[in-house]
């Protein structure tokens, strides 16, 4: 049941007569760092400070005298803001919660609070304050705690996973003469290389809080991308996707750890495959891989036509342990980002929901 006051909030607007608040208190509330809305006992908005009408992107005179219903139907109030105002109203007035946190269309965090009861003499005071800085501190503390816990578990987990990999590696080496007779020794070489890379990935993931020093060598970009595409082609075909490797013009060579660089590109291609398979339509999945020279740098790009990401996901994409996958660890992109930064480069990403995603890895070239 909605109370009489809650019903009054939804009444049509009426004309507001100024002078209902003491000027001194009004001046104080005008300069606080929180947005303020004050509804009287009849559900009419009697005061709004400049912080609040700035947040709503409306002018003061169009707000005073409004009820909640009139505010929600305001022609100049954006659709996203209407949705947040309505959710805040439901959570705090109808459900009785004292506060409600939300994220705006720009990715900023806010906390709305409600003060009512006998001390307010029937009035309802809504305050809204930005808490983005607090959320950043909170997330950083959580990540540090998670990384510390991960460090304690890494030794035992690595031991348990590497034991079967070692056995597989030994049997593949025993089968090498038979593979040679069949003319398939290249398969054996690839399997051994992938087992070694899996060991390196396990070590990298489980010790992500302790950055390792890259084993530097000269890496031809064309050879790197060709090998990665070769490793992922069969997986892509099984998922009904196409991987197109764009022709590379000129010799582009970077300096770095070839295993780590392969790990980064493979991770992004496999993320693209997952994004494509999560689309609801029957569109053919396509992944474009290539590189181009930009001055003294090379830009390696991996783009897909998968489900894409919204702005909130993009904002947290490289945070450790953040994942949108049901069985994901949230470490893949954070480790990739750190590897590229260790090599003096950076990763940029652009994405649109239901249109696809494009990652660009920028790295310095060896002249």
């Amino acid at each position: 049941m909605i109370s009489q006051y809650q019903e009054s909030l939804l009444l049509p607007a009426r004309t507001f007569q100024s002078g209902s608040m003491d000027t001194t208190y009004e001046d104080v509330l005008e300069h606080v760092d929180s947005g303020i809305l004050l509804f009287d006992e009849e559900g009419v908005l009697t005061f709004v400070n400049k912080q609040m009408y700035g947040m709503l992107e409306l002018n003061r005179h169009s707000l005073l005298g409004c009820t909640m219903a009139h505010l929600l139907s305001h022609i100049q109030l954006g659709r996203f803001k209407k949705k947040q105002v309505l959710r805040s109203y439901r959570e705090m007035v109808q459900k009785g919660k004292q506060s409600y946190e939300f994220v705006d269309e720009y990715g900023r965090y806010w906390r709305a609070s409600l003060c009512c009861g006998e001390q307010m003499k029937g009035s309802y005071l809504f305050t809204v304050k930005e808490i983005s800085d607090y959320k950043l501190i909170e997330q950083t503390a959580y990540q540090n705690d998670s990384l510390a816990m991960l460090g304690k578990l890494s030794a035992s987990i690595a031991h348990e996973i590497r034991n079967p990999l070692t056995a597989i590696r030994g049997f593949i080496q025993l089968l090498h003469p038979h593979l040679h007779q069949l003319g398939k020794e290249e398969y054996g070489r690839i399997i051994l290389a992938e087992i070694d890379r899996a060991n390196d990935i396990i070590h990298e993931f489980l010790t992500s809080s302790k950055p390792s020093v890259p084993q530097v060598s000269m890496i031809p970009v064309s050879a790197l991308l060709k090998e990665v595409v070769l490793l992922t082609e069969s997986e892509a075909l099984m998922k009904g996707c196409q991987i197109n490797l764009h022709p590379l013009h000129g010799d582009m060579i970077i300096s770095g750890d070839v295993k780590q660089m392969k790990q980064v590109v493979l991770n992004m291609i496999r993320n693209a495959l997952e994004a494509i398979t999560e689309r609801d339509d029957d569109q053919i999945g396509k992944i474009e891989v290539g590189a181009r020279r930009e001055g003294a740098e090379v830009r390696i790009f991996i783009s897909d036509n998968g489900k894409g990401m919204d702005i909130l996901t993009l904002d947290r994409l490289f945070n450790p342990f953040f994942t949108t996958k049901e069985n994901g660890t949230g470490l893949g992109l954070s480790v990739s980002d750190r590897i590229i930064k260790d090599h003096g480069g950076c990763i940029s990403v652009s994405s649109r929901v239901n249109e696809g995603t494009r990652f660009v890895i920028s790295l310095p070239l060896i002249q």
Side-chain angles (χ1 to χ4, degrees), residues 69-284:
H70 188 256
L71 177 61
L72 291 171
S73 61
H74 200 294
I75 192 171
Q76 295 179 340
L77 186 64
R79 182 179 178 183
F80 192 91
K81 288 184 172 61
K82 286 180 181 179
K83 186 184 297 185
Q84 294 301 341
V85 170
L86 182 58
R87 286 178 178 173
S88 299
Y89 170 80
R90 286 174 176 170
E91 292 294 322
M92 294 188 293
V93 176
Q94 293 183 352
K95 296 183 181 180
K97 296 181 180 179
Q98 290 187 338
S99 64
Y100 170 67
E101 294 183 3
F102 61 92
V103 182
D104 67 11
E105 61 268 45
Y106 306 110
R108 297 174 299 187
Y109 290 85
W110 300 86
R111 178 182 290 123
S113 303
L114 172 63
C115 183
C116 58
E118 295 181 1
Q119 70 272 23
M120 293 299 298
K121 298 180 181 179
S123 297
Y124 275 46
L125 177 66
F126 293 89
T127 59
V128 180
K129 182 179 178 66
E130 185 177 0
I131 57 170
S132 299
D133 291 340
Y134 300 107
K135 281 293 180 181
L136 179 61
I137 295 171
E138 183 181 281
Q139 290 170 5
T140 302
Y142 171 75
Q143 291 167 10
N144 289 340
D145 289 344
S146 300
L147 289 170
M149 184 181 297
L150 184 62
K152 295 178 182 178
L153 294 173
S154 61
S156 58
I157 294 176
H159 177 74
E160 294 298 327
I161 295 177
R162 283 172 177 160
N163 278 345
L165 286 178
T166 301
I168 294 170
R169 197 181 198 287
F171 284 118
I172 290 297
Q173 288 176 318
L174 291 174
L175 289 172
H176 185 75
H178 302 285
L179 292 173
H180 180 73
Q181 291 177 2
L182 295 172
K184 303 295 183 181
E185 64 270 17
E186 181 67 12
Y187 289 175
R189 186 191 68 79
I190 292 176
I191 292 172
L192 289 174
E194 287 303 291
I195 290 173
D196 291 339
R197 192 177 64 82
N199 269 312
D200 293 336
I201 290 173
I202 291 167
H203 175 76
E204 188 68 33
F205 272 54
L206 296 179
T207 59
S208 58
S209 59
K210 300 176 182 178
S212 57
V213 178
Q215 302 299 312
V216 179
S217 63
M218 296 176 67
I219 308 170
V221 175
S222 59
L224 172 70
L225 297 184
K226 284 178 182 177
E227 185 170 356
V228 172
V229 169
L230 177 64
L231 290 170
T232 52
E233 270 184 334
S234 59
E235 184 179 351
L237 288 172
M238 291 175 63
K239 295 183 177 181
C241 300
Q242 300 175 357
I243 300 181
N244 300 322
L245 177 59
H246 291 221
L248 273 64
H249 304 289
D251 295 329
M252 291 180 284
I253 299 176
I254 58 176
S255 175
D257 189 311
V258 65
K259 292 181 180 179
Q260 290 185 358
M261 296 308 303
K262 191 190 299 184
Q263 174 186 341
V264 171
V265 180
L266 273 170
N267 181 55
M268 291 184 178
I269 291 179
R270 284 174 176 154
N271 282 347
L273 287 172
E274 291 182 7
I276 289 171
T277 55
E278 289 173 0
R279 286 197 65 148
D280 297 328
D281 54 31
D282 297 326
Q283 182 178 359
I284 297 175

Side-chain angles (χ1 to χ4, degrees), residues 38-56:
L38 179 63
F39 291 90
D40 65 14
E41 64 276 6
E42 296 180 7
V44 177
L45 183 61
T46 59
F47 177 78
V48 53
N49 70 345
K50 64 179 181 181
Q51 292 285 349
M52 179 58 78
Y53 63 75
M55 294 172 191
L56 297 176

